[in-house]
Amino acid sequence: GVEFASEQSYIGVIGKLFAPIFHPLGFGTWQAAVSFIFGVLAKEVVVSTLSILYVGGSEVADEALIGALQQVFTPLTAYAFMAFSLIYTSCVATIATVKRETNSWKWTVFSVTYQFALAWLVAFVIYQGGRLIGLQ
């Protein structure tokens, strides 16, 4: 892979630091953690970040990315990942708007924390519930 995509790069080290948070959700890899970190900049970069980390860039065929992700995600973990991605913390522009509109760091931090916690809980229920009924 690309040096940026290396597990030993700074971003890889940061991803490994946050990966355990996502382990109970079924996608506790450093790559998934990094995709969510970059996703705070803009939600649409979650998938392109995975593309860079798993297959070296966004110019690759969709089939290459699909094949790489099928090695890492089961249908159940993919569903939990998608739910988390849709619900978790808004992008930086939205966070800045919340701060500006509420004129409060307290409400801004609450908003970010609440969205992250809700996303974590929904993904946890999907993954662990799916495992409980044998969908893994």
Side-chain angles (χ1 to χ4, degrees), residues 52-132:
I52 291 168
L53 296 175
Y54 282 115
V55 293
S58 59
E59 299 301 318
V60 298
D62 289 342
E63 294 79 25
L65 178 58
I66 291 168
L69 293 178
Q70 286 176 335
Q71 299 298 313
V72 181
F73 291 94
T74 66
L76 181 59
T77 58
Y79 190 65
F81 183 91
M82 288 187 294
F84 184 89
S85 182
L86 289 170
I87 301 168
Y88 90 110
T89 308
S90 301
C91 67
V92 171
T94 303
I95 295 168
T97 301
V98 169
K99 168 61 174 94
R100 186 179 67 237
E101 295 294 324
T102 63
N103 198 25
S104 167
W105 278 110
K106 179 178 122 180
W107 283 110
T108 304
V109 170
F110 172 78
S111 172
V112 168
T113 304
Y114 176 78
Q115 290 172 321
F116 186 89
L118 179 62
W120 194 95
L121 182 62
V122 167
F124 180 85
V125 168
I126 289 169
Y127 178 67
Q128 296 297 336
R131 288 183 63 207
L132 191 63

Side-chain angles (χ1 to χ4, degrees), residues 15-83:
K16 287 172 72 176
L17 181 68
F18 286 98
I21 295 169
F22 303 108
H23 182 73
L25 312 180
F27 45 87
T29 65
W30 68 270
Q31 294 93 335
V34 167
S35 74
F36 289 129
I37 291 168
F38 281 104
V40 172
L41 298 175
K43 291 267 187 130
E44 57 271 16
V45 302
V46 171
V47 174
S48 59
T49 301
L50 289 175
S51 177
I52 291 168
L53 296 175
Y54 282 115
V55 293
S58 59
E59 299 301 318
V60 298
D62 289 342
E63 294 79 25
L65 178 58
I66 291 168
L69 293 178
Q70 286 176 335
Q71 299 298 313
V72 181
F73 291 94
T74 66
L76 181 59
T77 58
Y79 190 65
F81 183 91
M82 288 187 294

